[in-house]
Amino acid sequence: MPMLNLLPIFAPMQAESTVLTPPLSTTYEAVIGLEVHCQLLTNSKMFAADANAFGAEPNTQVSVITLAHPGALPKANRVAVEYAVRMGLACGSAITRRNIFARKNYFYPDLPKGYQLSQDKGPICVGGQIPVRAKGFDGTLRDTAIQLHHIHLEEDAGKSIHDIDPNATCLDYNRAGTPLIEMVTEPCLRSADEAGQFLTEVRRLVRYLGICDGNLEEGSLRCDVNVSIRPKGVTELGTKVEVKNLNSIRNVMRAVDAEFRRQVMLTETGGRIIQETRLFDADLGQTAGMREKETMNDYRYFPDPDLMPVVISDAWLANIQAGMPALPRDLYHKLTTQYGLPDYDAALLTEARELVEFYEAVCAETPHYKAASNWLMGPVKAQLSEKNLRDRQFPVSATALAALIRLIDEGTISQTAAQTVFGLMVEQPERSPAELATAQGLLQNRNTNDLQSLIDGVLAAWPDKVEQYRKGKKNLLGLFVGEVMKKSKGSADPKLVNQLIMNALS
Amino acid sequence: MKVDTETLYKIAHLARLKVPPEEEGQLLNSLNSVLDWMEQLNEVDTTGIEPLTHMSALDEVDILRDDVVKNQLPRTQALVNAPVHDEQFIKVTKVL
């Protein structure tokens, strides 16, 4: 392959801005598969009773089982099994009834036993899919269902810390034995956007199901991507490269793009893609090869003789099914039909389970469904992100917000005053909106005599503008209304003021 | 199945064992005699029989644990057997 005519295509040399232009971007397509690990939100570990919690002092959440003391016998966590089944049911997977745990053997300091307990043959969930709306390879938005190969249960390894001691690697086994589900997709994704949307949907699902907190930065949700390329129209798969070290959804998308570009560039310049694991460097926006392993991994899986098979009976499965919370797509449907919300509102409100639950609680006390939606999408969401209230109780109750909506609807306070009252409700949640509005003098002034004197004062202060208005500059009306509202300290009913001024100037 | 020299060194590597060349012949012999002995099982017709993964009774399943925290080790005890440690961590030769 001649390199010469390719240079302008790949220029400039700065990696991330290297954009493939046609025809290369249309000659090849990316084939992407994802492996997503979710740390389950159980109290204790997968096969031992030590605590499963993030951020504890190093090596304080360990037991003889986790540390592989001789003779220690593991026992599977019932709740972890149920959480895995929940995810499978949410994705429409087939649930494996007889589950065997296997040992995956390898040596690494973060793995005390010398093997990881995992599932080899017969993962707990088989097949299934997650629907997403994403930009496909050609950039057009499409609805597609990302197919799952399987979901299996396993335990996490400990943590190696390389930057505390210059002469040694420090080991913290708090994370060792933490329950994980690993979701493996089919190689059916075709674009970075599909990968990003899929992960966003997985994160939302696990949060709705209450099985994982979905935090990529803390590593409770982790994603490795497998990327290969092939000329368009070819069905055979190319050599796949695994990319690791991705700690945000954005970096997953960047890594897919970077790896696709690298493989196309390599192929076009006569290079050969080798099967390897590469690390993504977020600063450079590039992937780099890891050191070659001395020998191919050979994990020598075999069934763990210490762990009895876990059999999921019809009764147990029915019980898990009955305990399933409503899924985002069910609630989306409910919001658009039962509450008559536009698609946009329904999509936004179902982003988080807490948000939609709060919305339904508000709607239980007000018939103004759209107004409630506007409050949640606007001021409430702004407060939530500003105060980072995700894990804590939002101070304003659904009842109080419904009461505020009622005050506006009755004309007791104006929309503008309601914003002020809402701000006060966040600070002083123990006081009712009516009480706060009264205390702040924000009750809407509908007294025509009071307003008339304010209007007279404003018009007298702006004789030249009044003149211009009368000569046809009708947009000055807004100025007069604004001045009157200011003088009333926001307590006037703007509609009424509008009417009164027009009358005064006619 | 026969274990050849290459396989022997591969198994040794996976187990992180160093095989002195003079022990090579003896190890090959004993590994192969174990495998030959196990080969006899191939004479049994297992058509239609599910693989047996566990030796205990078939109804001994679902030995599960409730999701309750207990039996944690105090850190001093957790670290005491490690050849190298400080008051927080177990330490090993740098791996990065």
Side-chain angles (χ1 to χ4, degrees), chain A residues 42-45 48-51 57-63 75-79 100 107 161-162 164-166 168-171 173 295 298 304 307-311 316, chain B residues 10-11 13-16 53-54 56-58 60-75 77-79 81 86 88-96:
Chain A
T42 52
N43 299 320
S44 63
K45 291 185 178 174
D50 22 336
E57 271 285 299
N59 294 307
T60 54
Q61 295 173 351
V62 292
S63 64
K75 223 189 225 186
N77 184 335
R78 181 188 309 277
V79 174
I100 306 289
F107 287 118
I161 304 157
H162 307 287
I164 293 182
D165 186 331
T169 291
C170 294
L171 294 159
Y173 290 119
T295 29
D298 180 348
D304 186 294
L307 282 161
M308 288 300 107
V310 172
V311 174
W316 191 11
Chain B
K10 187 188 163 195
I11 299 167
H13 173 75
L14 288 169
R16 301 296 184 270
T53 56
H54 291 76
S56 42
L58 277 178
E60 243 184 284
V61 295
D62 291 344
I63 315 291
L64 293 161
R65 188 171 50 78
D66 289 333
D67 187 21
V68 177
V69 176
K70 55 184 175 190
N71 301 337
Q72 286 189 159
L73 284 174
R75 182 156 68 185
Q77 268 191 48
L79 301 177
N81 290 320
D86 60 15
Q88 286 185 302
F89 296 103
I90 290 172
K91 298 195 174 192
V92 295
T93 311
K94 252 194 163 348
V95 292
L96 251 196

Coordinates of all heavy atoms in Angstrom, one line a residue, chain A residues 42-45 48-51 57-63 75-79 100 107 161-162 164-166 168-171 173 295 298 304 307-311 316, chain B residues 10-11 13-16 53-54 56-58 60-75 77-79 81 86 88-96:
Chain A
T42 N -24.7 -5.6 47.3 CA -25.1 -6.4 48.4 C -24.4 -5.9 49.7 O -23.4 -5.1 49.6 CB -24.6 -7.9 48.2 OG1 -23.2 -7.8 47.8 CG2 -25.4 -8.5 47.0
N43 N -24.8 -6.4 50.8 CA -24.1 -6.0 52.1 C -22.8 -6.7 52.2 O -21.8 -6.2 52.7 CB -25.0 -6.3 53.3 CG -26.3 -5.6 53.2 OD1 -26.4 -4.4 52.9 ND2 -27.4 -6.3 53.6
S44 N -22.8 -8.0 51.8 CA -21.7 -8.8 52.0 C -21.2 -9.4 50.7 O -21.8 -9.1 49.6 CB -22.0 -10.0 53.0 OG -23.0 -10.8 52.4
K45 N -20.1 -10.1 50.7 CA -19.4 -10.5 49.5 C -20.1 -11.7 48.8 O -21.1 -12.2 49.3 CB -17.9 -10.8 49.7 CG -17.2 -9.5 50.1 CD -15.7 -9.7 50.3 CE -15.1 -8.3 50.6 NZ -13.6 -8.5 50.9
A48 N -18.4 -14.9 50.7 CA -18.0 -14.8 52.1 C -18.8 -13.7 52.8 O -19.4 -12.8 52.1 CB -16.5 -14.5 52.2
A49 N -18.8 -13.6 54.1 CA -19.7 -12.7 54.8 C -19.0 -11.3 55.1 O -19.6 -10.5 55.8 CB -20.2 -13.3 56.1
D50 N -17.8 -11.1 54.6 CA -17.2 -9.8 54.9 C -17.9 -8.7 54.1 O -18.6 -8.9 53.1 CB -15.7 -9.7 54.7 CG -15.2 -10.8 53.8 OD1 -15.8 -11.8 53.6 OD2 -14.1 -10.5 53.2
A51 N -17.8 -7.5 54.7 CA -18.6 -6.3 54.1 C -18.2 -6.0 52.7 O -17.0 -6.1 52.4 CB -18.5 -5.1 55.0
E57 N -11.2 1.7 55.2 CA -9.7 1.6 55.4 C -9.2 0.3 54.8 O -9.9 -0.8 54.9 CB -9.5 1.5 56.9 CG -9.3 2.8 57.6 CD -8.0 3.4 57.2 OE1 -7.0 2.8 57.6 OE2 -7.9 4.5 56.6
P58 N -8.0 0.3 54.2 CA -7.5 -0.9 53.5 C -7.5 -2.1 54.4 O -7.2 -2.0 55.6 CB -6.1 -0.5 53.1 CG -6.0 1.0 53.3 CD -7.1 1.4 54.1
N59 N -7.8 -3.3 53.8 CA -7.8 -4.6 54.5 C -8.6 -4.7 55.8 O -8.2 -5.4 56.7 CB -6.3 -5.0 54.7 CG -5.6 -5.2 53.4 OD1 -6.1 -6.0 52.6 ND2 -4.5 -4.5 53.1
T60 N -9.7 -3.9 55.9 CA -10.5 -4.1 57.1 C -11.8 -4.9 56.7 O -12.6 -5.2 57.6 CB -10.9 -2.7 57.6 OG1 -11.5 -1.9 56.5 CG2 -9.7 -1.9 58.2
Q61 N -12.1 -5.1 55.4 CA -13.2 -5.9 55.1 C -12.8 -7.2 54.4 O -12.9 -7.5 53.2 CB -14.1 -5.1 54.1 CG -14.7 -3.9 54.8 CD -15.4 -2.9 53.8 OE1 -15.4 -3.1 52.6 NE2 -16.1 -1.9 54.4
V62 N -12.1 -8.0 55.3 CA -11.6 -9.3 54.8 C -11.9 -10.4 55.8 O -12.2 -10.1 57.0 CB -10.1 -9.2 54.6 CG1 -9.7 -8.3 53.5 CG2 -9.4 -8.8 55.9
S63 N -11.9 -11.6 55.3 CA -12.2 -12.8 56.2 C -11.2 -13.9 55.8 O -10.5 -13.8 54.8 CB -13.6 -13.2 56.0 OG -13.8 -13.7 54.7
K75 N -19.5 -19.9 50.6 CA -20.9 -20.1 50.5 C -21.5 -19.0 49.7 O -21.2 -17.8 50.0 CB -21.5 -20.2 51.9 CG -22.5 -21.3 52.2 CD -23.1 -21.0 53.5 CE -23.2 -22.3 54.3 NZ -23.9 -22.0 55.6
A76 N -22.4 -19.3 48.7 CA -22.9 -18.2 47.8 C -23.9 -17.3 48.5 O -24.7 -17.8 49.3 CB -23.4 -18.8 46.5
N77 N -23.9 -16.1 48.1 CA -24.8 -15.0 48.7 C -26.1 -15.1 47.9 O -26.1 -14.9 46.7 CB -24.1 -13.7 48.5 CG -24.9 -12.5 49.1 OD1 -26.1 -12.6 49.2 ND2 -24.2 -11.5 49.4
R78 N -27.2 -15.4 48.6 CA -28.5 -15.5 48.0 C -28.9 -14.2 47.3 O -29.4 -14.3 46.1 CB -29.5 -15.8 49.1 CG -31.0 -16.0 48.6 CD -31.9 -16.1 49.8 NE -31.5 -17.1 50.8 CZ -31.7 -18.4 50.7 NH1 -32.4 -18.9 49.7 NH2 -31.3 -19.2 51.6
V79 N -28.7 -13.1 47.9 CA -29.1 -11.8 47.3 C -28.3 -11.5 46.0 O -28.9 -11.0 45.0 CB -29.0 -10.7 48.3 CG1 -29.3 -9.3 47.6 CG2 -29.9 -10.9 49.5
I100 N -23.5 -23.7 38.2 CA -22.3 -24.3 38.7 C -21.2 -23.1 38.7 O -21.1 -22.4 37.8 CB -21.7 -25.4 37.8 CG1 -22.8 -26.5 37.5 CG2 -20.5 -26.0 38.3 CD1 -23.1 -27.3 38.7
F107 N -2.3 -16.6 38.3 CA -1.6 -16.0 39.5 C -1.5 -14.5 39.3 O -1.0 -14.1 38.3 CB -0.2 -16.6 39.6 CG -0.1 -18.0 40.1 CD1 0.4 -19.1 39.3 CD2 -0.6 -18.3 41.4 CE1 0.4 -20.4 39.8 CE2 -0.6 -19.6 41.9 CZ -0.1 -20.7 41.1
I161 N -2.1 -1.3 44.5 CA -1.8 0.1 44.5 C -0.3 0.3 44.3 O 0.5 -0.2 45.0 CB -2.2 0.7 45.9 CG1 -3.7 0.4 46.1 CG2 -2.0 2.2 45.9 CD1 -4.2 0.5 47.5
H162 N 0.0 1.0 43.2 CA 1.4 1.1 42.8 C 2.1 2.4 43.2 O 3.3 2.5 43.0 CB 1.5 1.0 41.3 CG 0.8 -0.3 40.8 ND1 1.3 -1.5 40.9 CD2 -0.4 -0.4 40.1 CE1 0.4 -2.4 40.4 NE2 -0.6 -1.7 39.9
I164 N 2.0 4.2 46.3 CA 2.2 4.5 47.7 C 3.6 4.3 48.1 O 4.3 5.1 48.7 CB 1.3 3.7 48.6 CG1 -0.2 4.1 48.4 CG2 1.6 3.9 50.1 CD1 -1.2 3.4 49.2
D165 N 4.1 3.1 47.7 CA 5.5 2.7 48.1 C 6.3 2.6 46.9 O 6.0 1.9 45.9 CB 5.4 1.3 48.8 CG 6.7 0.8 49.4 OD1 7.8 1.2 48.8 OD2 6.7 0.1 50.4
P166 N 7.4 3.3 46.8 CA 8.2 3.3 45.6 C 8.9 1.9 45.3 O 9.3 1.6 44.2 CB 9.3 4.3 45.8 CG 9.4 4.5 47.3 CD 8.0 4.2 47.8
A168 N 7.5 -1.2 46.4 CA 6.6 -2.4 46.4 C 5.2 -2.1 45.9 O 4.9 -0.9 45.8 CB 6.5 -2.9 47.9
T169 N 4.5 -3.1 45.6 CA 3.1 -3.0 45.2 C 2.3 -3.3 46.5 O 2.5 -4.3 47.1 CB 2.7 -3.9 44.1 OG1 3.3 -3.5 42.9 CG2 1.2 -4.0 43.9
C170 N 1.4 -2.4 46.9 CA 0.6 -2.6 48.1 C -0.7 -3.2 47.7 O -1.3 -2.8 46.7 CB 0.3 -1.2 48.7 SG 1.8 -0.5 49.4
L171 N -1.2 -4.1 48.5 CA -2.4 -4.8 48.2 C -3.5 -4.6 49.3 O -3.3 -4.6 50.5 CB -2.1 -6.3 48.2 CG -1.2 -6.7 47.0 CD1 -0.5 -8.0 47.2 CD2 -2.0 -6.7 45.7
Y173 N -7.3 -5.9 50.0 CA -8.2 -7.0 49.6 C -9.6 -6.7 50.0 O -10.5 -7.6 49.9 CB -7.7 -8.3 50.3 CG -6.5 -8.9 49.7 CD1 -5.3 -9.0 50.4 CD2 -6.4 -9.2 48.3 CE1 -4.1 -9.5 49.9 CE2 -5.2 -9.6 47.8 CZ -4.1 -9.8 48.5 OH -3.0 -10.3 48.0
T295 N 3.2 -16.3 27.9 CA 2.5 -17.4 27.3 C 1.0 -17.0 27.2 O 0.5 -16.2 28.0 CB 2.5 -18.7 28.2 OG1 2.7 -18.3 29.5 CG2 3.6 -19.6 27.7
D298 N -4.1 -19.6 30.0 CA -4.7 -20.8 30.0 C -5.3 -21.0 31.4 O -4.6 -21.3 32.3 CB -3.7 -22.0 29.7 CG -4.4 -23.3 29.7 OD1 -5.6 -23.4 30.1 OD2 -3.7 -24.3 29.2
D304 N -15.9 -25.7 40.8 CA -15.4 -25.6 42.2 C -16.1 -26.7 43.0 O -17.3 -26.7 43.1 CB -15.7 -24.2 42.8 CG -15.0 -24.1 44.1 OD1 -15.4 -24.8 45.1 OD2 -14.1 -23.3 44.2
L307 N -18.3 -25.5 46.3 CA -19.6 -24.7 46.2 C -20.6 -25.7 45.5 O -20.4 -26.2 44.4 CB -19.4 -23.5 45.3 CG -18.7 -22.3 45.9 CD1 -18.2 -21.3 44.9 CD2 -19.7 -21.6 46.9
M308 N -21.7 -25.8 46.3 CA -22.8 -26.7 45.7 C -23.5 -25.9 44.6 O -23.5 -24.7 44.6 CB -23.8 -27.0 46.9 CG -23.2 -27.9 47.9 SD -22.8 -29.5 47.2 CE -21.0 -29.5 47.2
P309 N -24.1 -26.7 43.7 CA -24.8 -26.0 42.6 C -25.9 -25.2 43.2 O -26.5 -25.5 44.2 CB -25.4 -27.2 41.8 CG -24.5 -28.3 42.1 CD -24.1 -28.1 43.5
V310 N -26.2 -24.0 42.5 CA -27.3 -23.2 42.9 C -28.5 -23.4 41.9 O -28.3 -23.2 40.7 CB -26.9 -21.7 42.9 CG1 -28.2 -20.8 43.1 CG2 -25.9 -21.4 43.9
V311 N -29.5 -24.0 42.4 CA -30.7 -24.3 41.6 C -31.8 -23.3 41.8 O -32.2 -23.1 42.9 CB -31.2 -25.7 41.8 CG1 -32.4 -26.0 41.0 CG2 -30.1 -26.8 41.5
W316 N -38.8 -19.8 43.4 CA -37.8 -18.7 43.7 C -37.8 -17.7 42.5 O -37.8 -16.5 42.7 CB -36.4 -19.3 43.9 CG -35.4 -18.4 44.4 CD1 -35.6 -17.1 44.9 CD2 -34.0 -18.6 44.4 NE1 -34.4 -16.5 45.3 CE2 -33.4 -17.4 45.0 CE3 -33.1 -19.6 44.1 CZ2 -32.0 -17.3 45.2 CZ3 -31.7 -19.5 44.3 CH2 -31.2 -18.3 44.9
Chain B
K10 N 4.9 -26.4 30.0 CA 3.8 -25.5 30.0 C 3.1 -25.6 31.4 O 2.8 -24.6 32.0 CB 2.8 -25.7 28.9 CG 1.8 -24.7 28.7 CD 0.7 -25.1 27.7 CE -0.5 -24.2 27.9 NZ -1.7 -24.8 27.2
I11 N 2.8 -26.8 31.8 CA 2.1 -27.0 33.0 C 2.9 -26.5 34.2 O 2.4 -25.8 35.1 CB 1.8 -28.5 33.3 CG1 0.9 -29.1 32.2 CG2 1.2 -28.8 34.6 CD1 0.9 -30.6 32.2
H13 N 5.1 -24.1 34.1 CA 5.0 -22.6 34.1 C 3.7 -22.1 34.7 O 3.7 -21.2 35.5 CB 5.2 -22.1 32.6 CG 5.0 -20.6 32.5 ND1 5.9 -19.7 32.9 CD2 3.9 -19.9 32.1 CE1 5.5 -18.5 32.8 NE2 4.3 -18.6 32.3
L14 N 2.6 -22.7 34.3 CA 1.3 -22.3 34.8 C 1.2 -22.4 36.3 O 0.6 -21.7 37.0 CB 0.2 -23.0 34.1 CG -0.1 -22.7 32.7 CD1 -1.0 -23.7 32.0 CD2 -0.6 -21.3 32.5
A15 N 1.9 -23.4 36.8 CA 2.0 -23.7 38.3 C 3.1 -22.9 39.0 O 3.3 -23.1 40.2 CB 2.0 -25.1 38.6
R16 N 3.9 -22.2 38.2 CA 5.1 -21.5 38.7 C 6.1 -22.4 39.4 O 6.5 -22.1 40.4 CB 4.7 -20.3 39.6 CG 3.8 -19.3 39.0 CD 4.4 -18.5 37.9 NE 3.6 -17.5 37.3 CZ 2.7 -17.6 36.3 NH1 2.6 -18.8 35.7 NH2 2.0 -16.6 35.9
T53 N -20.6 -33.0 38.2 CA -19.7 -32.0 38.7 C -19.4 -32.1 40.2 O -18.4 -31.6 40.7 CB -20.2 -30.6 38.3 OG1 -21.5 -30.4 38.9 CG2 -20.2 -30.4 36.8
H54 N -20.4 -32.6 40.9 CA -20.2 -32.6 42.4 C -20.5 -34.0 42.9 O -21.5 -34.7 42.5 CB -21.2 -31.6 43.0 CG -20.7 -30.2 42.7 ND1 -20.9 -29.6 41.5 CD2 -20.1 -29.3 43.5 CE1 -20.4 -28.4 41.5 NE2 -19.9 -28.2 42.7
S56 N -21.4 -34.9 46.0 CA -22.4 -35.1 47.0 C -23.8 -35.4 46.4 O -24.0 -35.3 45.2 CB -22.5 -33.8 47.8 OG -22.5 -32.7 47.0
A57 N -24.7 -35.7 47.3 CA -26.1 -36.1 46.8 C -26.7 -35.1 46.0 O -26.4 -33.9 46.1 CB -27.0 -36.4 48.0
L58 N -27.5 -35.5 45.0 CA -28.1 -34.6 44.0 C -29.0 -33.5 44.7 O -29.2 -32.4 44.1 CB -28.9 -35.4 43.0 CG -28.1 -36.0 41.9 CD1 -29.0 -36.8 41.0 CD2 -27.4 -34.9 41.1
E60 N -28.4 -32.0 47.4 CA -27.6 -31.1 48.2 C -27.2 -29.8 47.3 O -26.1 -29.6 46.9 CB -26.3 -31.7 48.7 CG -26.2 -31.8 50.2 CD -24.9 -32.4 50.6 OE1 -24.7 -33.6 50.5 OE2 -24.1 -31.6 51.1
V61 N -28.3 -29.0 47.1 CA -28.1 -27.8 46.3 C -28.6 -26.6 47.1 O -29.1 -26.8 48.2 CB -28.8 -27.9 45.0 CG1 -28.3 -29.0 44.1 CG2 -30.3 -28.0 45.2
D62 N -28.3 -25.4 46.6 CA -28.8 -24.2 47.2 C -28.3 -24.1 48.7 O -29.1 -23.8 49.6 CB -30.3 -24.1 47.2 CG -30.8 -23.9 45.8 OD1 -30.0 -23.5 44.9 OD2 -32.0 -24.1 45.5
I63 N -27.1 -24.4 48.9 CA -26.5 -24.1 50.2 C -26.1 -22.6 50.2 O -24.9 -22.3 49.8 CB -25.2 -25.0 50.5 CG1 -25.5 -26.5 50.1 CG2 -24.8 -24.9 51.9 CD1 -26.5 -27.2 50.9
L64 N -27.0 -21.8 50.5 CA -26.8 -20.4 50.3 C -26.7 -19.6 51.6 O -27.1 -20.2 52.7 CB -28.0 -19.8 49.5 CG -28.1 -20.3 48.0 CD1 -29.4 -20.0 47.5 CD2 -27.0 -19.6 47.2
R65 N -26.2 -18.4 51.5 CA -25.9 -17.6 52.7 C -26.8 -16.4 52.6 O -27.0 -15.8 51.5 CB -24.5 -17.2 52.7 CG -23.9 -16.5 53.9 CD -22.4 -16.3 53.7 NE -22.1 -15.8 52.4 CZ -22.2 -14.5 52.2 NH1 -22.6 -13.6 53.1 NH2 -21.9 -14.0 51.0
D66 N -27.4 -16.0 53.8 CA -28.1 -14.7 53.8 C -27.1 -13.6 53.7 O -26.0 -13.7 54.1 CB -29.0 -14.6 55.0 CG -30.2 -15.5 55.0 OD1 -30.6 -15.9 53.9 OD2 -30.6 -16.0 56.1
D67 N -27.6 -12.4 53.1 CA -26.7 -11.3 52.9 C -26.4 -10.5 54.1 O -26.9 -9.4 54.3 CB -27.3 -10.5 51.8 CG -26.3 -9.4 51.3 OD1 -25.1 -9.5 51.6 OD2 -26.8 -8.4 50.7
V68 N -25.7 -11.1 55.1 CA -25.5 -10.5 56.4 C -24.0 -10.4 56.6 O -23.3 -11.4 56.4 CB -26.2 -11.2 57.5 CG1 -25.8 -10.6 58.9 CG2 -27.7 -11.3 57.3
V69 N -23.5 -9.3 57.1 CA -22.0 -9.1 57.3 C -21.6 -9.7 58.6 O -22.2 -9.5 59.7 CB -21.6 -7.6 57.3 CG1 -20.2 -7.4 57.7 CG2 -22.0 -7.0 56.0
K70 N -20.6 -10.6 58.6 CA -20.1 -11.2 59.8 C -18.7 -11.8 59.6 O -18.2 -11.9 58.4 CB -21.0 -12.1 60.5 CG -21.5 -13.3 59.6 CD -22.5 -14.1 60.4 CE -23.1 -15.2 59.5 NZ -24.2 -15.9 60.1
N71 N -18.1 -12.3 60.6 CA -16.8 -13.1 60.5 C -15.7 -12.3 59.9 O -14.8 -12.9 59.3 CB -17.0 -14.4 59.7 CG -18.1 -15.3 60.3 OD1 -18.4 -15.2 61.5 ND2 -18.6 -16.1 59.5
Q72 N -15.6 -11.0 60.1 CA -14.5 -10.2 59.5 C -13.3 -10.4 60.4 O -13.4 -10.5 61.7 CB -14.9 -8.8 59.3 CG -15.8 -8.6 58.1 CD -16.0 -7.1 57.8 OE1 -16.4 -6.8 56.7 NE2 -15.8 -6.2 58.7
L73 N -12.1 -10.3 59.8 CA -10.9 -10.4 60.6 C -10.4 -9.0 61.0 O -10.5 -8.1 60.2 CB -9.8 -11.0 59.8 CG -9.8 -12.5 59.6 CD1 -8.7 -12.9 58.6 CD2 -9.6 -13.3 60.9
P74 N -9.9 -8.8 62.2 CA -9.3 -7.6 62.6 C -8.1 -7.4 61.7 O -7.4 -8.4 61.3 CB -8.9 -7.7 64.0 CG -9.5 -9.0 64.5 CD -9.9 -9.8 63.3
R75 N -7.7 -6.2 61.3 CA -6.7 -6.0 60.3 C -5.3 -6.6 60.7 O -4.6 -7.2 59.9 CB -6.5 -4.5 59.9 CG -5.5 -4.3 58.9 CD -5.7 -3.0 58.1 NE -5.5 -1.9 59.0 CZ -5.7 -0.6 58.5 NH1 -6.1 -0.4 57.3 NH2 -5.5 0.4 59.3
Q77 N -4.8 -9.2 62.5 CA -4.8 -10.6 62.2 C -4.7 -10.9 60.7 O -4.1 -11.9 60.3 CB -6.1 -11.2 62.8 CG -5.9 -11.7 64.2 CD -7.1 -12.5 64.6 OE1 -7.5 -13.4 63.9 NE2 -7.6 -12.2 65.8
A78 N -5.4 -10.1 59.9 CA -5.5 -10.3 58.5 C -4.1 -10.2 57.9 O -3.8 -10.9 56.9 CB -6.4 -9.3 57.8
L79 N -3.3 -9.4 58.4 CA -2.0 -9.1 57.8 C -0.8 -9.9 58.4 O 0.2 -10.0 57.8 CB -1.6 -7.6 58.0 CG -2.6 -6.6 57.3 CD1 -2.1 -5.2 57.7 CD2 -2.7 -6.8 55.8
N81 N 0.2 -13.0 58.7 CA 0.9 -14.1 58.0 C 1.6 -13.7 56.8 O 2.3 -14.5 56.2 CB -0.1 -15.2 57.6 CG -0.6 -15.9 58.9 OD1 0.1 -16.2 59.8 ND2 -1.9 -16.2 58.9
D86 N 2.9 -3.7 56.1 CA 3.0 -2.6 57.1 C 1.7 -2.7 57.9 O 1.0 -3.7 57.9 CB 3.3 -1.2 56.5 CG 2.2 -0.8 55.5 OD1 1.1 -1.4 55.5 OD2 2.5 0.1 54.7
Q88 N -1.1 -1.3 57.2 CA -2.3 -1.2 56.3 C -2.3 -2.2 55.2 O -3.4 -2.8 54.9 CB -2.3 0.2 55.6 CG -2.7 1.3 56.5 CD -2.8 2.6 55.7 OE1 -1.8 3.0 55.0 NE2 -3.9 3.2 55.7
F89 N -1.2 -2.5 54.6 CA -1.1 -3.3 53.4 C -0.2 -4.5 53.4 O 0.8 -4.5 54.2 CB -0.6 -2.4 52.2 CG -1.4 -1.2 51.9 CD1 -1.1 0.1 52.3 CD2 -2.6 -1.4 51.2 CE1 -1.9 1.2 52.0 CE2 -3.4 -0.3 50.8 CZ -3.0 1.0 51.2
I90 N -0.6 -5.5 52.6 CA 0.3 -6.6 52.3 C 1.2 -6.1 51.1 O 0.7 -5.4 50.3 CB -0.4 -7.9 51.9 CG1 -1.1 -8.4 53.1 CG2 0.5 -8.9 51.2 CD1 -2.1 -9.6 52.9
K91 N 2.5 -6.3 51.2 CA 3.4 -5.8 50.1 C 4.0 -6.9 49.3 O 4.4 -7.9 49.9 CB 4.4 -4.9 50.7 CG 3.8 -3.7 51.4 CD 4.8 -2.6 51.7 CE 4.1 -1.4 52.3 NZ 5.0 -0.3 52.3
V92 N 4.1 -6.7 48.0 CA 4.8 -7.7 47.2 C 5.7 -6.9 46.2 O 5.7 -5.7 46.1 CB 3.8 -8.5 46.3 CG1 2.9 -9.3 47.2 CG2 2.9 -7.6 45.4
T93 N 6.6 -7.7 45.6 CA 7.5 -7.1 44.6 C 6.7 -6.3 43.6 O 5.6 -6.7 43.2 CB 8.2 -8.3 43.8 OG1 8.7 -9.2 44.8 CG2 9.3 -7.7 43.0
K94 N 7.2 -5.2 43.2 CA 6.5 -4.3 42.3 C 6.0 -5.0 41.0 O 6.9 -5.7 40.4 CB 7.4 -3.1 41.9 CG 6.9 -1.8 42.6 CD 7.5 -0.6 42.0 CE 6.8 0.7 42.3 NZ 5.4 0.6 42.9
V95 N 4.8 -4.9 40.7 CA 4.3 -5.6 39.5 C 4.1 -4.6 38.3 O 3.7 -5.0 37.2 CB 3.0 -6.4 39.8 CG1 3.3 -7.6 40.7 CG2 1.9 -5.5 40.3
L96 N 4.3 -3.3 38.6 CA 4.1 -2.4 37.4 C 5.4 -1.6 37.3 O 5.9 -1.1 38.3 CB 2.9 -1.4 37.7 CG 1.7 -1.6 36.8 CD1 0.8 -0.4 36.9 CD2 2.0 -1.9 35.4

